[in-house]
């Protein structure tokens, strides 16, 4: 495996839908002090559940990737080729399906009940959860493919290093190491563990 800088400055979090990529990216950004970008909010979605055009997404992704430092919580297939080569590290969350699906269900139900804005101000509804293109459909449709993608990256010497976590505790331990190396401990929610 390629060597990983002590505090990588361009980090892509990648994993199956519901694995906790955004929370992990937020925690890493908080621990490292690096700027954080959201694949959904900053690149993919507009209000009214309208997706930006592929051209717009690629233009924004190009701008993000060109920066000296960034933390990105995912990479859509239509612009993944832009950000992956610029990453100093890919953090892959390779959790079992029961864990990521359980997280996804809890998160989605909470968002419906609280009407918490997501994806650039959009709001989840029960109807959206059961639509043909719902987040649950996406989870099942992309689960195996996403795992194949980061495993192929691991095997490719031309790709950035890939750090794979199979348990949330492994991720938390790594985030603690990052925080300790910079300014102090934080957990996967991005909260400081200091009193």
């Amino acid at each position: 495996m390629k060597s990983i800088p002590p505090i990588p400055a361009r980090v892509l979090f990648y994993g199956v839908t519901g694995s906790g990529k955004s929370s992990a990216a937020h925690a890493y950004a908080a621990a490292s002090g690096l700027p954080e970008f959201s694949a959904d909010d900053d690149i993919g979605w507009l209000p009214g559940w309208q997706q930006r055009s592929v051209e717009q997404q690629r233009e924004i992704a190009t701008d993000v990737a060109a920066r000296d430092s960034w933390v990105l919580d995912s990479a859509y297939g239509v612009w993944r080729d832009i950000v992956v080569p610029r990453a100093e590290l890919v953090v892959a969350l390779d959790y079992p399906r029961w864990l990521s699906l359980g997280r996804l269900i809890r998160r989605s139900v909470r968002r419906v009940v609280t009407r918490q804005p997501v994806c650039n101000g959009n709001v989840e509804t029960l109807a959206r959860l059961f639509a043909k293109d719902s987040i649950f459909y996406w989870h099942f449709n992309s689960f195996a493919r996403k795992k194949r993608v980061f495993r192929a990256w691991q095997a490719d010497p031309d790709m950035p290093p890939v750090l794979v976590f199979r348990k949330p505790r492994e991720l938390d331990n790594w985030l603690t190491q990052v925080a300790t190396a910079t300014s102090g401990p934080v957990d996967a929610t991005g909260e400081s563990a200091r009193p």
Side-chain angles (χ1 to χ4, degrees):
M1 181 169 138
K2 292 181 184 175
S3 64
I4 301 171
I7 307 295
R10 294 185 301 277
V11 181
L12 170 64
F13 285 79
Y14 196 78
V16 301
T17 305
S19 59
K21 301 179 298 294
S22 296
S23 295
H26 181 71
Y28 183 81
S32 64
L34 297 170
E36 177 183 1
F37 296 90
S38 164
D40 291 339
D41 290 328
D42 297 318
I43 302 175
W45 291 93
L46 293 166
W49 289 113
Q50 296 298 311
Q51 232 180 352
R52 286 188 171 96
S53 69
V54 169
E55 294 75 20
Q56 289 173 318
Q57 291 183 52
R58 289 183 66 82
E59 183 178 323
I60 297 167
T62 298
D63 177 60
V64 170
R67 297 170 189 234
D68 290 335
S69 58
W70 44 262
V71 178
L72 189 56
D73 66 358
S74 193
Y76 295 4
V78 296
W79 47 265
R80 193 170 55 218
D81 62 305
I82 296 169
V83 298
V84 171
R86 286 278 298 149
E88 289 185 345
L89 176 67
V90 175
V91 177
L93 304 183
D94 189 14
Y95 300 157
R97 185 188 293 275
W98 64 266
L99 178 59
S100 54
L101 182 58
R103 285 180 166 186
L104 181 62
I105 291 169
R106 286 190 301 278
R107 180 187 80 186
S108 298
V109 170
R110 183 182 69 247
R111 287 177 174 176
V112 167
V113 171
T114 64
R115 300 192 55 77
Q116 172 190 348
V118 296
C119 300
N120 230 341
N122 295 299
V123 177
E124 293 279 10
T125 63
L126 274 177
R128 272 199 71 77
L129 292 185
F130 295 102
K132 223 171 15 175
D133 63 345
S134 77
I135 195 81
F136 298 131
Y137 169 81
W138 186 250
H139 171 86
F140 283 101
N141 192 44
S142 65
F143 188 88
R145 183 177 72 248
K146 286 187 173 184
K147 288 187 173 228
R148 282 194 304 271
V149 166
F150 66 71
R151 288 181 180 148
W153 290 343
Q154 273 187 294
D156 187 342
D158 295 327
M159 297 303 277
V162 179
L163 188 57
V164 179
F165 295 112
R166 292 189 170 82
K167 298 176 183 176
R169 174 58 55 200
E170 296 171 350
L171 171 67
D172 289 341
N173 290 341
W174 178 69
L175 289 170
T176 298
Q177 291 172 11
V178 170
T180 301
T182 55
S183 61
V186 296
D187 62 21
T189 64
E191 298 296 321
S192 173
R194 291 178 174 177

